[in-house]
Amino acid sequence: MSDGDIDELSSGVSGDSPLVSTAWPSSAVEAASTAFLDWSARTIRERAQVLYRYRGLLERHTEELADEQWVHNMEHGGVVLLYNCPEGCETERASLAEFVENHPGNTLLTPYAGMDESFAIVAWRHRLLTECLSMEAFATFYDTHVDQAPESIT
């Protein structure tokens, strides 16, 4: 059996979805209760670390972000890591993703086909473009240019 999905804009039916089973709410509550016990046993610092790691996962983009999105991030003092690897660069991309995870806040990672080089790190009015990824050079750039913009967050 299914009910119609309601389109929020028109209040009309937009499609059909199978109904969830009656057992689903009980299992969801049980899973949430178990997770809450684990979560509440963590210190504030541990909780913050988990949330920052989660934020880093959200900020890693595999689809190319519109320029406006990451330019806005830079306007607030953020730093953006870009890559353009049509032939693949999984090892380097993993290093960039780890960098974003270790630098939470306004740090984004996104593919960018609009550059000739394979890698770049950009901040407000500054950029470093390279064919060969140097995480040491990216770290130095980050430390020098993060939070140095017209609307910096700190």
Side-chain angles (χ1 to χ4, degrees), residues 5 13 18 32 36-37 39 42 45 48 60 72 74 77 79 89 103 115 127-129 131-132 141 144 147 150:
D5 295 330
V13 175
F36 176 75
L37 291 174
W39 184 253
R42 293 174 183 255
R45 180 183 176 99
R60 287 187 226 156
H72 183 82
M74 292 187 308
V79 175
C89 56
H103 296 82
M115 64 181 178
R127 67 182 180 176
L128 172 63
L129 305 166
E131 280 301 314
C132 189
F141 180 98
T144 303
D147 206 22

Coordinates of all heavy atoms in Angstrom, one line a residue, residues 5 13 18 32 36-37 39 42 45 48 60 72 74 77 79 89 103 115 127-129 131-132 141 144 147 150:
D5 N 2.8 11.2 -2.1 CA 3.7 12.2 -1.6 C 3.2 13.6 -1.8 O 2.7 13.9 -3.0 CB 5.1 12.1 -2.2 CG 5.8 10.8 -1.9 OD1 5.5 10.2 -0.8 OD2 6.6 10.3 -2.7
V13 N -0.5 16.0 -5.0 CA 0.2 14.7 -4.9 C 1.3 14.7 -6.0 O 1.0 15.0 -7.2 CB -0.8 13.5 -5.1 CG1 0.0 12.2 -5.1 CG2 -1.8 13.5 -4.0
P18 N 6.2 3.7 -0.9 CA 5.7 2.7 0.0 C 5.6 3.2 1.5 O 6.5 3.9 1.9 CB 6.7 1.5 -0.2 CG 7.9 2.2 -0.7 CD 7.5 3.4 -1.4
A32 N 18.0 5.2 18.4 CA 18.3 6.5 18.9 C 18.7 6.5 20.4 O 19.6 7.2 20.9 CB 17.1 7.4 18.7
F36 N 22.2 7.6 22.0 CA 22.2 8.7 23.0 C 23.1 8.3 24.2 O 23.8 9.1 24.7 CB 20.8 9.1 23.4 CG 20.8 10.1 24.5 CD1 21.0 11.4 24.2 CD2 20.6 9.7 25.8 CE1 21.1 12.4 25.2 CE2 20.6 10.7 26.8 CZ 20.8 12.0 26.5
L37 N 23.0 7.1 24.6 CA 23.8 6.6 25.7 C 25.3 6.7 25.4 O 26.0 7.2 26.2 CB 23.4 5.2 26.1 CG 22.0 5.0 26.7 CD1 21.7 3.5 26.9 CD2 21.9 5.7 28.0
W39 N 26.6 8.7 23.1 CA 26.9 10.1 22.9 C 27.0 10.9 24.2 O 27.9 11.6 24.4 CB 25.8 10.8 22.1 CG 26.0 12.2 21.7 CD1 25.3 13.3 22.3 CD2 26.9 12.8 20.8 NE1 25.8 14.4 21.7 CE2 26.8 14.2 20.8 CE3 27.9 12.2 19.9 CZ2 27.5 15.0 20.0 CZ3 28.6 13.0 19.1 CH2 28.5 14.4 19.2
R42 N 30.3 10.7 26.1 CA 31.5 11.4 25.6 C 31.6 12.8 26.3 O 30.7 13.4 26.7 CB 31.3 11.6 24.1 CG 31.3 10.3 23.3 CD 31.0 10.5 21.9 NE 31.0 9.3 21.1 CZ 31.9 8.9 20.3 NH1 33.0 9.6 20.1 NH2 31.8 7.8 19.7
R45 N 34.6 17.8 24.5 CA 35.7 17.8 23.5 C 35.5 16.7 22.5 O 35.7 16.9 21.3 CB 37.1 17.7 24.2 CG 38.2 17.7 23.2 CD 39.5 17.5 24.0 NE 40.6 17.5 23.1 CZ 41.4 18.5 22.8 NH1 41.3 19.6 23.4 NH2 42.4 18.3 22.0
A48 N 32.7 17.5 20.2 CA 33.1 18.6 19.2 C 33.9 18.0 18.1 O 33.7 18.3 16.9 CB 33.8 19.7 19.9
R60 N 33.4 18.1 1.9 CA 34.1 17.5 0.8 C 33.2 17.3 -0.3 O 32.2 16.5 -0.2 CB 34.7 16.2 1.2 CG 35.8 16.2 2.2 CD 36.4 14.9 2.3 NE 36.6 14.7 3.7 CZ 36.7 13.5 4.3 NH1 36.5 12.4 3.7 NH2 36.9 13.4 5.6
H72 N 32.2 33.0 -1.9 CA 31.6 33.5 -0.7 C 32.3 32.9 0.6 O 32.5 33.7 1.5 CB 30.1 33.1 -0.7 CG 29.3 33.6 0.5 ND1 28.9 34.9 0.5 CD2 29.0 33.1 1.7 CE1 28.3 35.1 1.7 NE2 28.3 34.0 2.4
M74 N 35.4 32.2 0.8 CA 36.7 32.9 0.9 C 36.5 34.3 1.5 O 37.3 34.8 2.2 CB 37.4 33.0 -0.4 CG 37.9 31.6 -0.9 SD 38.9 31.7 -2.4 CE 37.9 32.6 -3.5
G77 N 36.9 34.5 5.0 CA 38.1 34.1 5.6 C 38.4 32.6 5.3 O 39.4 32.1 5.8
V79 N 39.3 29.0 3.2 CA 40.3 28.6 2.2 C 39.6 27.4 1.4 O 38.9 26.6 2.0 CB 41.6 28.1 2.9 CG1 42.6 27.6 1.9 CG2 42.2 29.3 3.6
C89 N 43.2 11.1 -9.5 CA 44.2 11.4 -8.6 C 43.7 11.1 -7.1 O 43.7 11.9 -6.3 CB 44.6 12.9 -8.7 SG 43.3 14.1 -8.4
H103 N 41.4 20.7 9.3 CA 41.3 22.1 9.3 C 39.8 22.5 9.2 O 39.4 23.1 8.2 CB 42.1 22.8 8.2 CG 43.5 22.6 8.3 ND1 44.2 21.4 7.9 CD2 44.5 23.3 8.9 CE1 45.5 21.5 8.2 NE2 45.7 22.6 8.8
M115 N 40.5 25.2 -14.3 CA 41.9 25.6 -14.2 C 42.8 24.6 -15.0 O 42.4 23.4 -15.2 CB 42.4 25.6 -12.8 CG 42.3 24.3 -12.0 SD 42.9 24.6 -10.3 CE 42.6 22.9 -9.7
R127 N 46.3 32.9 -4.2 CA 46.2 31.5 -4.8 C 47.6 30.9 -5.0 O 48.6 31.5 -5.2 CB 45.4 31.5 -6.1 CG 46.1 32.1 -7.2 CD 45.3 32.1 -8.5 NE 46.1 32.8 -9.5 CZ 45.7 32.9 -10.7 NH1 44.5 32.4 -11.1 NH2 46.4 33.5 -11.6
L128 N 47.6 29.6 -4.9 CA 48.8 28.8 -5.2 C 48.3 27.7 -6.1 O 47.4 26.8 -5.8 CB 49.3 28.1 -3.9 CG 50.4 27.1 -4.0 CD1 51.7 27.8 -4.7 CD2 50.8 26.5 -2.7
L129 N 48.8 27.7 -7.3 CA 48.5 26.7 -8.4 C 49.7 25.8 -8.6 O 50.8 26.2 -8.6 CB 48.2 27.4 -9.7 CG 47.1 28.4 -9.6 CD1 47.1 29.3 -10.9 CD2 45.7 27.8 -9.4
E131 N 51.1 21.7 -10.3 CA 50.8 20.4 -11.0 C 51.1 19.2 -10.0 O 50.6 18.1 -10.1 CB 51.7 20.2 -12.2 CG 51.2 20.9 -13.4 CD 49.8 20.4 -13.8 OE1 49.5 19.2 -13.8 OE2 48.9 21.2 -14.1
C132 N 52.0 19.5 -9.1 CA 52.5 18.5 -8.1 C 52.1 18.9 -6.7 O 52.5 19.9 -6.2 CB 54.0 18.3 -8.2 SG 54.7 16.9 -7.3
F141 N 50.5 27.9 3.1 CA 49.6 28.8 2.5 C 48.4 29.0 3.4 O 47.9 30.1 3.7 CB 49.1 28.3 1.1 CG 48.1 29.2 0.4 CD1 48.6 30.1 -0.6 CD2 46.8 29.2 0.7 CE1 47.7 30.9 -1.2 CE2 45.9 30.0 0.1 CZ 46.3 30.9 -0.9
T144 N 49.0 31.1 6.5 CA 49.3 32.5 6.1 C 48.0 33.2 5.8 O 47.9 34.4 6.1 CB 50.3 32.6 5.0 OG1 51.5 31.9 5.3 CG2 50.6 34.0 4.6
D147 N 41.4 33.2 7.3 CA 40.8 34.3 8.1 C 41.4 35.6 7.8 O 41.5 36.4 8.7 CB 40.9 33.9 9.6 CG 39.8 34.5 10.4 OD1 38.7 34.9 9.8 OD2 39.9 34.7 11.6
P150 N 37.7 40.3 3.9 CA 36.9 41.5 4.3 C 35.9 41.1 5.4 O 35.6 42.0 6.3 CB 36.2 41.9 3.0 CG 36.9 41.3 1.9 CD 37.6 40.1 2.5

